[in-house]
Each structure stands twice: as C-alpha cells, then as structure tokens.
Amino acid sequence: MPVILTACTQRKRVTPSPLLCARDLEIGTLGQVVEAWTAKLATAEALAPAKDVYCGRSFVEAKKAADSAQAELHIVSAGLGLIRGQQEIPSYNLTVSKGSPDCILDKLQGHGDADWWAALGGHKMLTDVLDRSSGLIVIALPSPYLRMVAPALQGVSDALCERIRIVGGRDVPDLDPRLEHVRLPYDNRLDGPQSSLPGTRSDFASRAVRHFVENVLSSAPLATAKEHAELVEEALAGWDRPSPKSGTRMSDDDLKSIVRDHWSRADGRSTKLLRILRDELNIACEQKRFSRLAAEIREERAL
C-alpha cells in the first residue's frame, strides 16, 4: 500500500483546547519545553480522527490524493510528531511558523524546528513508518516541513530511496542528495491556464501529489523514479506558466521567500536565481533590487 506524507495545518475543524496552546509554555531548554508540552498532551482528550480535524485546501487535496491512491495518509505535525490520518487526536495550537503567538520556536533556547520535531519523537515515528512500508512513499511537504523531517531521511537505504517520490519543498539544504534524484518535476505550470489544479504556494505540494496520483501513478504504479519523472514532464508538456498580474508589485518579503525556496537548487548563485525568477516563474525583479535581497538572504544563511 502506498504512503503519502502531508503537513498539518493551523486551521482545524475543532476549536483548539485553551489548555493546548504553545503561547502558554515557558521559555526553556529543548528538553524542558518538550517535557512541558507532552505533559499537556497527556491530559488532553482525543476528539476526532486527524483526517477530520485538520482542514483547508492543502489538507483536502492531500486527502483526495490518498483516497484516490488507496494510500495510508500520514501527517507531519509540529505539535504531535507523525500521526496517521485515522488516529484520534486532540485539537491544539502549536506551529513552527514564525510570527504566530503559538510558534514553538519562540520558546526554545538555541534550537530549530528539526530539533523540536526529533525531540517530540517525530524521527522515530517516521523511521518506523518507512521500515514497515513496502510500497511507494510520496513525500508531499512544503519547504519548512521537508526541512523539519530531512534529518530523519538521511542515510536511508538505496532500496528505500528508490521507493520515495518527493513533490514540494525546494529549499532544503539538509536533504540527502540521493533524494533529489527522486524528486518529481512539478513547477509553476501547475498554476498556469491549462491546469485543473491552480492554487497558492502554500498548497502546492498537496496539489502536485493529487495530480501525480490521478494522472501518473494510476497508470504506472510500478514505474521507476526516472519513469515517473518523465511521465510528469509529459503530462505538463505544453502547459503555460502563469502570467504575472498586471500592475502587481511583489513585496521584498514575498520575493525573499521565493528566492529561499530555490536557493539550494541554484547553489546560491545570483545569476541562476534571477533566471529562475524571470524565466521559470515569470516574476519581474530589477537587478539592483534582486542583488540587495540576495545579499540579505546570503547573510542570514551565514548567521
């Protein structure tokens, strides 16, 4: 049976418990914060299956993909680790998205999201799922979540690597280089005029996995990674990329977010990054402005 990995969402159908909010945790060491959070979870009541708690387009598209492929849906959760779609869970407020009052990263001293997820048990949970699986494993995660699970994917066997397909996140420096060879070539043509699944960057991975399941995997379930990539490219051939909206100016923050997503792919080279922006993504950016933004990203990565 195939396995599909998707990300949790901040939106939930069940109102989060006021006792399960990351904002109420004390700042501390990784161990202290994990202990405090798991203590809260231990007293919380499971309300519904995870597939019925999370909502929003990103999650809906992933569910449709799993149903279509008759796959096991597993959810990478910032608050719970890795959970099955059928697993009953409480409703909570905890995220790794900066700017939210419930961002767990604001509570940790010198640790990032991958450290948090590992301490929460996510790495062991993911390893167990990979070890038990015998079919295709499709990882459909946006960049922040793929970065979070990347350490758990380091050193997978070559045989397991051949059963993995990745759609979504690009800016993942810690990803095992072998996994780049099983990445499917989805790009912003999925948002073009010929696409039946246009959407936003936040739900791109889920839309891509649905397209893969319904248009490629259904007819070639036993194909190799190379064959699947060729079939995806064939399905997208002739699709136009979306045209930028006339008169719309992208903010510095939005541009920097896009550049970060493609940084590793371009090896941080400004010329290649600018070409990706202009030629692939149809985003106009004056060169002097781009150089300034690239320099800011280069400095933040160095830090």
Side-chain angles (χ1 to χ4, degrees), residues 2-7 13 51-52 54-75 85 138 140 196-198 203 205-215 217-218:
V3 169
I4 291 177
L5 259 63
T6 189
R13 297 184 188 278
K51 66 183 182 63
D52 298 327
Y54 300 108
C55 59
R57 184 176 181 190
S58 177
F59 194 74
V60 168
E61 297 290 4
K63 278 207 305 182
K64 288 179 178 178
D67 290 343
S68 180
Q70 296 184 320
E72 290 183 3
L73 183 66
H74 289 263
I75 302 145
V138 188
S196 61
L197 290 168
D203 52 41
S206 296
R207 291 183 289 115
V209 73
R210 182 181 171 194
H211 181 275
F212 171 65
V213 162
E214 294 179 353
N215 296 276
L217 188 62
S218 59

Side-chain angles (χ1 to χ4, degrees), residues 47-299:
L47 300 175
K51 66 183 182 63
D52 298 327
V53 173
Y54 300 108
C55 59
R57 184 176 181 190
S58 177
F59 194 74
V60 168
E61 297 290 4
K63 278 207 305 182
K64 288 179 178 178
D67 290 343
S68 180
Q70 296 184 320
E72 290 183 3
L73 183 66
H74 289 263
I75 302 145
V76 177
S77 164
L80 304 175
L82 185 71
I83 51 180
R84 293 174 288 104
Q86 300 286 352
Q87 183 176 335
E88 294 207 345
I89 63 170
S91 190
Y92 62 93
N93 269 330
L94 184 148
T95 181
V96 292
S97 298
K98 294 181 179 179
S100 166
D102 291 298
C103 178
I104 193 64
L105 303 183
D106 295 336
K107 305 296 181 177
L108 303 176
Q109 295 175 339
H111 290 279
D113 46 14
D115 299 321
W116 165 257
W117 199 68
L120 203 58
H123 285 197
K124 184 181 184 305
M125 296 172 189
L126 180 54
T127 300
D128 289 345
V129 169
L130 297 178
D131 288 344
R132 290 198 312 268
S133 68
S134 58
L136 203 65
I137 301 154
V138 188
I139 301 176
L141 298 173
S143 293
Y145 281 80
L146 187 54
R147 286 195 294 269
M148 194 161 66
V149 307
L153 298 172
Q154 286 284 3
V156 296
S157 69
D158 290 341
L160 177 56
C161 190
E162 284 300 313
R163 290 193 287 113
I164 293 175
R165 305 290 182 269
I166 294 179
V167 298
R170 289 275 183 183
D171 183 22
V172 187
D174 295 331
L175 191 66
D176 189 317
R178 293 173 301 153
L179 294 176
E180 290 296 342
H181 296 294
V182 297
R183 182 186 293 280
L184 300 176
Y186 283 100
D187 54 32
N188 69 333
R189 287 174 291 180
L190 197 62
D191 297 315
Q194 289 88 3
S195 174
S196 61
L197 290 168
T200 65
R201 290 178 63 242
S202 63
D203 52 41
F204 178 86
S206 296
R207 291 183 289 115
V209 73
R210 182 181 171 194
H211 181 275
F212 171 65
V213 162
E214 294 179 353
N215 296 276
V216 176
L217 188 62
S218 59
S219 59
L222 302 179
T224 65
K226 183 175 183 293
E227 290 166 342
H228 275 153
E230 291 170 349
L231 289 169
V232 169
E233 193 57 53
E234 182 180 316
L236 301 183
W239 285 20
D240 296 323
R241 301 179 188 277
S243 300
K245 295 180 180 179
S246 177
T248 299
R249 178 177 173 82
M250 208 170 259
S251 70
D252 282 0
D253 286 344
D254 287 342
L255 267 175
K256 286 169 71 174
S257 178
I258 293 171
V259 172
R260 288 189 194 100
D261 283 346
H262 294 274
W263 189 271
S264 295
R265 178 184 167 202
D267 295 323
R269 298 199 301 271
S270 295
T271 301
K272 187 172 181 179
L273 284 163
L274 190 55
R275 289 268 62 86
I276 290 172
L277 279 183
R278 291 176 174 175
D279 299 343
E280 294 187 18
L281 305 180
N282 289 324
I283 296 173
C285 182
E286 189 268 329
Q287 189 160 357
K288 185 176 179 181
R289 181 188 180 204
F290 172 81
S291 297
R292 172 176 59 82
L293 297 178
E296 292 175 5
I297 295 174
R298 191 170 288 109
E299 182 177 354

